[in-house]
């Protein structure tokens, strides 16, 4: 059999060295040595060949904006959100689109072909939403780009966030987002989880909330997220991003919580690269790292996907 393309001598994820024969758009053979001919041959000796990488948590509307209009001096999430608030009114459609496309070029060059990005809807112009919907179309031939409608400043805390979230979904954004720990009260956070899950259930969408991204062990919105997932039959369609408060929670409570997350089929998306920088900033000593409980979740069969944020 002849192939359109043979990739020779690359190392597969399991450590084997093999030739890969591709016919049309199909991987037709993986063997130690293919003798067939091919239209194109790529020499991959010494390189890794793997399925595409997936980044399930990103903020493409903020990518490549470091230093605009200034840098985050305290290194905290709260200053980060405030800084993003300063940048937002200065954004233009073109600038968001060009930075996002530049990032997508980098992503593809590193083998990253599936990205879920949150997009802030707390700008009544919905400029970033429109720019990223355009980017999604542009990169569709090579990147599977999902958009999450993300009310960064709080679904209830920001006066127009609720209506803007719905507007963004109407424009074609794929997933319902939220940030319960940033609402004014725990009760509002809880209520936001319920309402966002109801919106998703009604529209047949997925849910991915920034959930408990704090060092406060009493931030327990993931509990409500698992509850609403069960109640509304959203199993397998819901993710909790960050979950850093779990680092600081008491073990007895976590021993009850994790099985409920597993039972509801809620996935976890930790973002350790960013959270080891952001969390524990208010601590003197000992300083917490603010990473969620990955090994314990995996042991219970909870799906975990690493994000870049
Ligand atoms: Zn995020």
């Amino acid at each position: 059999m002849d192939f359109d393309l043979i990739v020779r001598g690359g190392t597969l994820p399991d450590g084997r060295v093999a030739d890969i024969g591709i016919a049309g758009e199909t991987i037709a053979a993986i063997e130690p040595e293919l003798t067939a001919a091919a239209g194109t041959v790529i020499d991959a000796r010494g390189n890794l060949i793997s399925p595409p990488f997936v980044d399930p948590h990103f903020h493409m509307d903020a990518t490549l904006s470091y230093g605009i209009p200034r840098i985050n001096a305290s290194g905290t999430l709260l200053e980060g959100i405030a800084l993003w608030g300063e940048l937002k009114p200065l954004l233009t459609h073109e600038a968001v689109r060009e930075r996002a496309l530049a990032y997508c070029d980098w992503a593809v060059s590193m083998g990253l072909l599936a990205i879920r990005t949150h997009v802030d809807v707390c700008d009544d112009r919905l400029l970033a939403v429109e720019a990223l919907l355009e980017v999604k179309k542009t990169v569709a031939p090579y990147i599977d780009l999902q958009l999450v409608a993300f009310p960064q400043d709080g679904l209830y805390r920001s006066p127009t966030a609720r209506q803007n979230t719905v507007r963004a979904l109407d424009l074609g954004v794929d997933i319902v987002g939220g940030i319960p720990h940033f609402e004014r009260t725990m009760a509002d956070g809880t209520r936001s989880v319920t309402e966002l899950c109801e919106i998703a259930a009604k529209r047949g969408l997925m849910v991915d909330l920034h959930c408990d991204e704090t060092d406060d062990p009493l931030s327990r919105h993931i509990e409500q997220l698992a509850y609403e997932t069960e109640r509304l039959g959203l199993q397998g369609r819901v993710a909790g991003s960050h979950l850093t408060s779990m680092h600081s929670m008491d073990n007895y409570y976590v021993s009850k919580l994790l099985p409920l997350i597993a039972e509801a089929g809620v996935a976890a998306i930790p973002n350790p690269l960013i959270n080891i920088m952001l969390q524990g900033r208010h601590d003197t000593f000992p300083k917490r790292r603010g990473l969620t409980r990955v090994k314990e979740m995996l042991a219970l069969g909870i799906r975990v996907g690493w994000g870049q944020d």
Side-chain angles (χ1 to χ4, degrees), residues 57 59 210 242 309:
H57 191 111
H59 292 264
H210 283 65
H242 296 290
D309 205 10

Side-chain angles (χ1 to χ4, degrees), residues 6-294:
I6 293 181
V7 183
R8 287 207 187 275
T11 303
L12 304 181
D14 63 8
R16 280 181 298 153
V17 171
D19 290 350
I20 300 174
I22 293 160
E25 295 193 341
T26 305
I27 294 175
I30 303 178
E31 286 173 24
E33 207 167 328
L34 288 173
T35 49
T40 309
V41 175
I42 296 174
D43 181 2
R45 278 173 294 181
N47 293 307
L48 173 70
I49 301 186
S50 76
F53 296 125
V54 174
D55 181 356
H57 191 111
F58 196 63
H59 292 264
M60 206 173 274
D61 47 358
T63 194
L64 302 177
S65 66
Y66 180 79
I68 312 174
R70 59 183 178 82
I71 61 167
N72 181 339
S74 68
T76 62
L77 176 62
L78 293 178
E79 184 175 349
I81 293 174
L83 182 51
W84 173 238
E86 292 170 32
L87 172 55
K88 244 189 286 191
L90 310 176
L91 292 175
T92 65
H93 183 101
E94 293 68 33
V96 172
R97 185 187 61 209
E98 293 316 307
R99 285 200 294 261
L101 287 172
Y103 179 81
C104 286
D105 285 350
W106 288 9
V108 165
S109 76
M110 304 303 286
L112 176 53
L113 301 186
I115 302 173
R116 172 180 288 185
T117 179
H118 296 254
V119 51
D120 188 357
V121 299
C122 292
D123 172 349
D124 294 340
R125 301 173 296 166
L126 290 188
L127 174 152
V129 171
E130 284 175 354
L132 289 188
L133 282 167
E134 188 185 327
V135 168
K136 180 182 156 121
K137 267 195 207 133
T138 307
V139 304
Y142 49 94
I143 294 180
D144 180 359
L145 181 61
Q146 288 180 335
L147 304 186
V148 186
F150 176 45
Q152 167 82 70
D153 300 328
L155 189 72
Y156 304 130
R157 187 168 167 180
S158 167
T160 53
R162 194 160 164 273
Q163 71 196 53
N164 288 354
T165 301
V166 171
R167 280 172 64 207
L169 297 172
D170 286 343
L171 286 172
V173 169
D174 311 275
I175 300 169
V176 182
I179 185 163
H181 56 272
F182 196 70
E183 302 294 346
R184 286 196 174 85
T185 62
M186 288 289 182
D188 267 7
T190 304
R191 205 155 61 83
S192 78
V193 173
T194 300
E195 181 169 5
L196 291 165
C197 287
E198 285 174 351
I199 290 172
K202 207 162 137 196
R203 292 173 172 251
L205 298 176
M206 295 186 281
V207 179
D208 185 346
L209 304 186
H210 283 65
C211 199
D212 305 322
E213 189 183 7
T214 97
D215 296 322
D216 174 3
L218 297 179
S219 186
R220 296 174 169 188
H221 298 295
I222 181 61
E223 179 187 88
Q224 190 72 18
L225 187 60
Y227 173 80
E228 297 297 353
T229 301
E230 290 259 15
R231 182 176 74 86
L232 296 163
L234 293 171
Q235 291 91 340
R237 285 161 49 186
V238 176
S241 279
H242 296 290
L243 304 176
T244 55
S245 73
M246 212 184 283
H247 183 122
S248 303
M249 283 174 181
D250 123 308
N251 285 339
Y252 184 86
Y253 174 68
V254 173
S255 75
K256 178 196 171 201
L257 175 67
L258 291 183
L260 290 172
I261 298 173
E263 186 186 305
V266 172
I269 303 177
N271 301 286
L273 291 175
I274 206 79
N275 283 126
I276 54 169
M277 308 302 287
L278 288 174
Q279 305 309 129
R281 291 278 183 178
H282 302 271
D283 291 353
T284 49
F285 284 94
K287 288 184 189 292
R288 289 166 291 178
R289 293 289 76 194
L291 298 182
T292 194
R293 304 199 188 198
V294 171

